[in-house]
Short mmCIF file of all heavy atoms in Angstrom, two decimals:
data_model
loop_
_atom_site.label_atom_id
_atom_site.label_comp_id
_atom_site.label_asym_id
_atom_site.label_seq_id
_atom_site.Cartn_x
_atom_site.Cartn_y
_atom_site.Cartn_z
N HIS A 1057 -13.57 -6.52 -9.84
CA HIS A 1057 -13.63 -7.17 -11.15
C HIS A 1057 -14.87 -6.69 -11.91
O HIS A 1057 -14.82 -6.41 -13.11
CB HIS A 1057 -13.69 -8.69 -11.01
CG HIS A 1057 -12.53 -9.28 -10.28
ND1 HIS A 1057 -12.48 -10.61 -9.92
CD2 HIS A 1057 -11.38 -8.74 -9.84
CE1 HIS A 1057 -11.35 -10.84 -9.28
NE2 HIS A 1057 -10.67 -9.74 -9.22
N ASN A 1059 -16.55 -3.95 -11.71
CA ASN A 1059 -16.38 -2.60 -12.22
C ASN A 1059 -15.50 -2.54 -13.46
O ASN A 1059 -15.83 -1.89 -14.45
CB ASN A 1059 -15.74 -1.74 -11.13
CG ASN A 1059 -16.72 -0.78 -10.51
OD1 ASN A 1059 -17.11 0.18 -11.15
ND2 ASN A 1059 -17.15 -1.09 -9.31
N GLN A 1060 -14.36 -3.21 -13.37
CA GLN A 1060 -13.41 -3.19 -14.50
C GLN A 1060 -14.03 -3.88 -15.71
O GLN A 1060 -13.90 -3.40 -16.85
CB GLN A 1060 -12.10 -3.90 -14.12
CG GLN A 1060 -11.28 -3.20 -13.05
CD GLN A 1060 -10.20 -2.27 -13.63
OE1 GLN A 1060 -10.42 -1.64 -14.67
NE2 GLN A 1060 -9.07 -2.17 -12.95
N ARG A 1063 -16.57 -1.71 -17.38
CA ARG A 1063 -15.94 -0.67 -18.19
C ARG A 1063 -15.45 -1.22 -19.52
O ARG A 1063 -15.67 -0.62 -20.59
CB ARG A 1063 -14.77 -0.06 -17.41
CG ARG A 1063 -14.30 1.26 -17.96
CD ARG A 1063 -13.33 1.94 -17.01
NE ARG A 1063 -12.03 1.30 -17.03
CZ ARG A 1063 -11.06 1.59 -17.91
NH1 ARG A 1063 -11.26 2.50 -18.83
NH2 ARG A 1063 -9.90 0.97 -17.86
N LEU A 1080 -6.50 -11.87 -10.27
CA LEU A 1080 -5.67 -12.56 -9.29
C LEU A 1080 -6.48 -12.94 -8.06
O LEU A 1080 -5.98 -13.62 -7.18
CB LEU A 1080 -4.52 -11.64 -8.84
CG LEU A 1080 -3.52 -11.23 -9.91
CD1 LEU A 1080 -2.62 -10.13 -9.38
CD2 LEU A 1080 -2.69 -12.43 -10.35
N GLY A 1081 -7.73 -12.46 -7.98
CA GLY A 1081 -8.52 -12.69 -6.78
C GLY A 1081 -8.00 -11.92 -5.58
O GLY A 1081 -8.01 -12.40 -4.45
N THR A 1082 -7.55 -10.68 -5.83
CA THR A 1082 -7.08 -9.84 -4.74
C THR A 1082 -8.28 -9.34 -3.94
O THR A 1082 -9.22 -8.80 -4.50
CB THR A 1082 -6.31 -8.63 -5.28
OG1 THR A 1082 -5.35 -9.09 -6.23
CG2 THR A 1082 -5.64 -7.86 -4.16
N ARG A 1086 -11.69 -5.50 6.46
CA ARG A 1086 -11.27 -5.12 7.80
C ARG A 1086 -12.12 -5.90 8.77
O ARG A 1086 -13.35 -5.78 8.77
CB ARG A 1086 -11.40 -3.62 8.02
CG ARG A 1086 -10.40 -3.17 9.10
CD ARG A 1086 -10.51 -1.74 9.42
NE ARG A 1086 -11.85 -1.43 9.87
CZ ARG A 1086 -12.28 -0.21 10.08
NH1 ARG A 1086 -11.48 0.80 9.84
NH2 ARG A 1086 -13.49 0.01 10.50
N TYR A 1123 8.05 3.81 16.75
CA TYR A 1123 7.08 4.85 16.45
C TYR A 1123 5.72 4.51 17.05
O TYR A 1123 5.23 3.38 16.90
CB TYR A 1123 6.95 5.05 14.94
CG TYR A 1123 6.29 6.38 14.64
CD1 TYR A 1123 7.06 7.53 14.50
CD2 TYR A 1123 4.91 6.50 14.57
CE1 TYR A 1123 6.47 8.76 14.29
CE2 TYR A 1123 4.31 7.72 14.36
CZ TYR A 1123 5.09 8.86 14.23
OH TYR A 1123 4.49 10.06 14.02
N LYS A 1155 -3.40 -2.96 2.67
CA LYS A 1155 -3.21 -2.52 1.30
C LYS A 1155 -1.80 -2.81 0.78
O LYS A 1155 -1.52 -2.65 -0.40
CB LYS A 1155 -3.55 -1.03 1.17
CG LYS A 1155 -5.04 -0.75 0.96
CD LYS A 1155 -5.58 -1.25 -0.40
CE LYS A 1155 -5.55 -0.14 -1.44
NZ LYS A 1155 -6.06 -0.64 -2.76
N ASP A 1158 -1.37 -4.90 -2.34
CA ASP A 1158 -1.30 -4.39 -3.71
C ASP A 1158 0.11 -4.51 -4.30
O ASP A 1158 0.27 -4.70 -5.50
CB ASP A 1158 -1.73 -2.92 -3.76
CG ASP A 1158 -3.22 -2.75 -3.52
OD1 ASP A 1158 -3.95 -3.77 -3.48
OD2 ASP A 1158 -3.66 -1.59 -3.37
N GLN A 1174 12.23 -9.01 -3.49
CA GLN A 1174 12.89 -8.65 -2.23
C GLN A 1174 13.72 -7.37 -2.34
O GLN A 1174 14.07 -6.79 -1.32
CB GLN A 1174 13.78 -9.81 -1.74
CG GLN A 1174 14.99 -10.05 -2.62
CD GLN A 1174 15.96 -11.06 -2.04
OE1 GLN A 1174 16.19 -11.08 -0.84
NE2 GLN A 1174 16.52 -11.90 -2.88
N ASP A 1177 12.36 -1.19 -4.64
CA ASP A 1177 12.61 0.02 -3.85
C ASP A 1177 11.28 0.56 -3.32
O ASP A 1177 10.61 1.35 -3.98
CB ASP A 1177 13.30 1.03 -4.78
CG ASP A 1177 13.84 2.25 -4.05
OD1 ASP A 1177 13.70 2.31 -2.81
OD2 ASP A 1177 14.41 3.12 -4.72
N ALA A 1179 8.77 2.33 -0.16
CA ALA A 1179 8.86 3.57 0.61
C ALA A 1179 8.97 3.30 2.11
O ALA A 1179 8.30 2.41 2.64
CB ALA A 1179 7.62 4.43 0.34
N ARG A 1188 12.84 -2.04 6.91
CA ARG A 1188 12.74 -3.26 6.09
C ARG A 1188 11.26 -3.56 5.92
O ARG A 1188 10.62 -4.07 6.84
CB ARG A 1188 13.45 -4.43 6.76
CG ARG A 1188 14.95 -4.26 6.84
CD ARG A 1188 15.63 -5.48 7.47
NE ARG A 1188 17.05 -5.25 7.65
CZ ARG A 1188 17.59 -4.62 8.70
NH1 ARG A 1188 16.82 -4.19 9.68
NH2 ARG A 1188 18.89 -4.44 8.77
N ASP A 1189 10.72 -3.24 4.77
CA ASP A 1189 9.29 -3.40 4.56
C ASP A 1189 8.87 -4.87 4.74
O ASP A 1189 9.55 -5.77 4.25
CB ASP A 1189 8.93 -2.94 3.15
CG ASP A 1189 7.43 -2.91 2.95
OD1 ASP A 1189 6.85 -3.98 2.64
OD2 ASP A 1189 6.84 -1.84 3.14
N ARG A 1196 12.16 -12.12 0.88
CA ARG A 1196 13.48 -12.67 1.14
C ARG A 1196 13.37 -14.06 1.76
O ARG A 1196 14.10 -14.98 1.42
CB ARG A 1196 14.25 -11.73 2.07
CG ARG A 1196 15.68 -12.11 2.28
CD ARG A 1196 16.34 -11.22 3.33
NE ARG A 1196 16.09 -9.81 3.05
CZ ARG A 1196 16.33 -8.84 3.92
NH1 ARG A 1196 16.81 -9.11 5.12
NH2 ARG A 1196 16.09 -7.58 3.61
N HIS B 1183 17.87 2.18 0.92
CA HIS B 1183 18.97 1.76 0.05
C HIS B 1183 20.17 1.33 0.89
O HIS B 1183 20.82 0.32 0.60
CB HIS B 1183 19.39 2.90 -0.88
CG HIS B 1183 18.29 3.42 -1.76
ND1 HIS B 1183 18.44 4.52 -2.55
CD2 HIS B 1183 17.03 2.98 -1.98
CE1 HIS B 1183 17.32 4.74 -3.22
NE2 HIS B 1183 16.45 3.83 -2.89
N ASN B 1185 20.33 0.14 3.88
CA ASN B 1185 20.11 -1.17 4.48
C ASN B 1185 20.29 -2.30 3.49
O ASN B 1185 20.96 -3.30 3.77
CB ASN B 1185 18.68 -1.24 5.02
CG ASN B 1185 18.65 -1.18 6.52
OD1 ASN B 1185 19.03 -2.14 7.17
ND2 ASN B 1185 18.27 -0.05 7.06
N GLN B 1186 19.66 -2.17 2.34
CA GLN B 1186 19.74 -3.23 1.32
C GLN B 1186 21.18 -3.38 0.82
O GLN B 1186 21.67 -4.49 0.63
CB GLN B 1186 18.82 -2.92 0.13
CG GLN B 1186 17.33 -2.94 0.46
CD GLN B 1186 16.67 -4.29 0.18
OE1 GLN B 1186 17.29 -5.33 0.37
NE2 GLN B 1186 15.41 -4.27 -0.26
N ARG B 1189 23.32 -5.14 3.30
CA ARG B 1189 23.09 -6.58 3.29
C ARG B 1189 23.80 -7.25 2.12
O ARG B 1189 24.45 -8.29 2.26
CB ARG B 1189 21.59 -6.86 3.23
CG ARG B 1189 21.23 -8.27 3.61
CD ARG B 1189 19.74 -8.42 3.77
NE ARG B 1189 19.05 -8.40 2.49
CZ ARG B 1189 18.86 -9.50 1.75
NH1 ARG B 1189 19.27 -10.67 2.17
NH2 ARG B 1189 18.25 -9.42 0.59
N LEU B 1206 14.97 3.27 -7.41
CA LEU B 1206 13.96 4.12 -8.05
C LEU B 1206 13.84 5.46 -7.32
O LEU B 1206 13.12 6.34 -7.78
CB LEU B 1206 12.59 3.44 -8.03
CG LEU B 1206 12.47 2.13 -8.81
CD1 LEU B 1206 11.14 1.46 -8.46
CD2 LEU B 1206 12.55 2.41 -10.31
N GLY B 1207 14.50 5.57 -6.18
CA GLY B 1207 14.32 6.78 -5.37
C GLY B 1207 12.94 6.88 -4.76
O GLY B 1207 12.37 7.97 -4.66
N THR B 1208 12.41 5.75 -4.32
CA THR B 1208 11.09 5.76 -3.68
C THR B 1208 11.24 6.34 -2.28
O THR B 1208 12.08 5.88 -1.50
CB THR B 1208 10.54 4.33 -3.57
OG1 THR B 1208 10.63 3.71 -4.85
CG2 THR B 1208 9.09 4.36 -3.10
N ARG B 1212 5.59 11.73 6.28
CA ARG B 1212 4.31 12.22 6.75
C ARG B 1212 4.51 13.67 7.14
O ARG B 1212 5.33 13.97 8.02
CB ARG B 1212 3.79 11.41 7.93
CG ARG B 1212 2.26 11.50 7.97
CD ARG B 1212 1.67 10.78 9.11
NE ARG B 1212 2.20 11.33 10.36
CZ ARG B 1212 1.98 10.76 11.53
NH1 ARG B 1212 1.29 9.65 11.62
NH2 ARG B 1212 2.48 11.29 12.62
N TYR B 1249 -17.68 6.00 3.41
CA TYR B 1249 -17.15 5.41 4.63
C TYR B 1249 -16.48 6.48 5.50
O TYR B 1249 -15.69 7.28 5.00
CB TYR B 1249 -16.15 4.30 4.31
CG TYR B 1249 -15.91 3.42 5.51
CD1 TYR B 1249 -16.72 2.32 5.74
CD2 TYR B 1249 -14.94 3.74 6.45
CE1 TYR B 1249 -16.55 1.54 6.88
CE2 TYR B 1249 -14.77 2.97 7.58
CZ TYR B 1249 -15.58 1.87 7.79
OH TYR B 1249 -15.41 1.12 8.91
N LYS B 1281 1.55 4.88 1.22
CA LYS B 1281 2.17 3.60 0.90
C LYS B 1281 1.63 3.02 -0.41
O LYS B 1281 2.16 2.02 -0.91
CB LYS B 1281 2.01 2.61 2.05
CG LYS B 1281 3.09 2.77 3.14
CD LYS B 1281 4.50 2.35 2.66
CE LYS B 1281 4.81 0.90 2.99
NZ LYS B 1281 6.18 0.53 2.50
N ASP B 1284 4.03 2.21 -3.23
CA ASP B 1284 4.72 0.93 -3.43
C ASP B 1284 4.16 0.18 -4.64
O ASP B 1284 4.89 -0.55 -5.32
CB ASP B 1284 4.58 0.04 -2.19
CG ASP B 1284 5.39 0.55 -1.01
OD1 ASP B 1284 6.20 1.49 -1.19
OD2 ASP B 1284 5.22 0.01 0.09
N GLN B 1300 -3.30 -0.10 -15.24
CA GLN B 1300 -4.69 0.28 -14.98
C GLN B 1300 -5.59 -0.91 -14.70
O GLN B 1300 -6.69 -0.74 -14.17
CB GLN B 1300 -5.25 1.11 -16.14
CG GLN B 1300 -5.44 0.30 -17.41
CD GLN B 1300 -6.16 1.09 -18.49
OE1 GLN B 1300 -7.05 1.86 -18.19
NE2 GLN B 1300 -5.77 0.89 -19.73
N ASP B 1303 -5.11 -6.18 -10.53
CA ASP B 1303 -6.17 -6.57 -9.59
C ASP B 1303 -5.78 -6.15 -8.17
O ASP B 1303 -5.14 -6.90 -7.46
CB ASP B 1303 -6.36 -8.09 -9.71
CG ASP B 1303 -7.60 -8.59 -8.99
OD1 ASP B 1303 -8.32 -7.76 -8.40
OD2 ASP B 1303 -7.82 -9.81 -9.02
N ALA B 1305 -6.68 -4.45 -4.22
CA ALA B 1305 -7.64 -4.79 -3.17
C ALA B 1305 -8.59 -3.65 -2.87
O ALA B 1305 -8.19 -2.49 -2.83
CB ALA B 1305 -6.88 -5.16 -1.89
N ARG B 1314 -12.70 1.89 -7.19
CA ARG B 1314 -11.71 2.21 -8.22
C ARG B 1314 -10.49 2.77 -7.52
O ARG B 1314 -10.48 3.94 -7.11
CB ARG B 1314 -12.27 3.22 -9.22
CG ARG B 1314 -13.40 2.68 -10.07
CD ARG B 1314 -13.90 3.71 -11.06
NE ARG B 1314 -15.07 3.21 -11.76
CZ ARG B 1314 -16.33 3.32 -11.31
NH1 ARG B 1314 -16.56 3.95 -10.18
NH2 ARG B 1314 -17.33 2.81 -12.00
N ASP B 1315 -9.47 1.96 -7.38
CA ASP B 1315 -8.29 2.38 -6.63
C ASP B 1315 -7.67 3.64 -7.26
O ASP B 1315 -7.52 3.71 -8.49
CB ASP B 1315 -7.27 1.25 -6.60
CG ASP B 1315 -6.11 1.58 -5.69
OD1 ASP B 1315 -5.16 2.26 -6.14
OD2 ASP B 1315 -6.15 1.18 -4.52
N ARG B 1322 -5.11 4.92 -15.67
CA ARG B 1322 -6.03 5.04 -16.80
C ARG B 1322 -5.92 6.44 -17.42
O ARG B 1322 -5.90 6.60 -18.64
CB ARG B 1322 -7.46 4.79 -16.31
CG ARG B 1322 -8.47 4.74 -17.42
CD ARG B 1322 -9.88 4.64 -16.86
NE ARG B 1322 -9.97 3.58 -15.86
CZ ARG B 1322 -11.00 3.42 -15.03
NH1 ARG B 1322 -12.02 4.27 -15.07
NH2 ARG B 1322 -11.02 2.43 -14.17
#
Side-chain angles (χ1 to χ4, degrees):
Chain A
H1057 301 172
N1059 253 288
Q1060 293 266 35
R1063 196 169 74 85
L1080 297 169
T1082 310
R1086 206 183 58 188
Y1123 197 89
K1155 276 292 266 180
D1158 290 351
Q1174 69 172 321
D1177 190 1
R1188 292 182 185 85
D1189 188 276
R1196 187 186 310 167
Chain B
H1183 301 173
N1185 253 288
Q1186 293 266 36
R1189 196 170 73 87
L1206 296 169
T1208 310
R1212 206 182 59 189
Y1249 197 89
K1281 275 292 266 180
D1284 289 351
Q1300 69 173 324
D1303 190 1
R1314 292 181 186 87
D1315 187 276
R1322 187 186 310 167

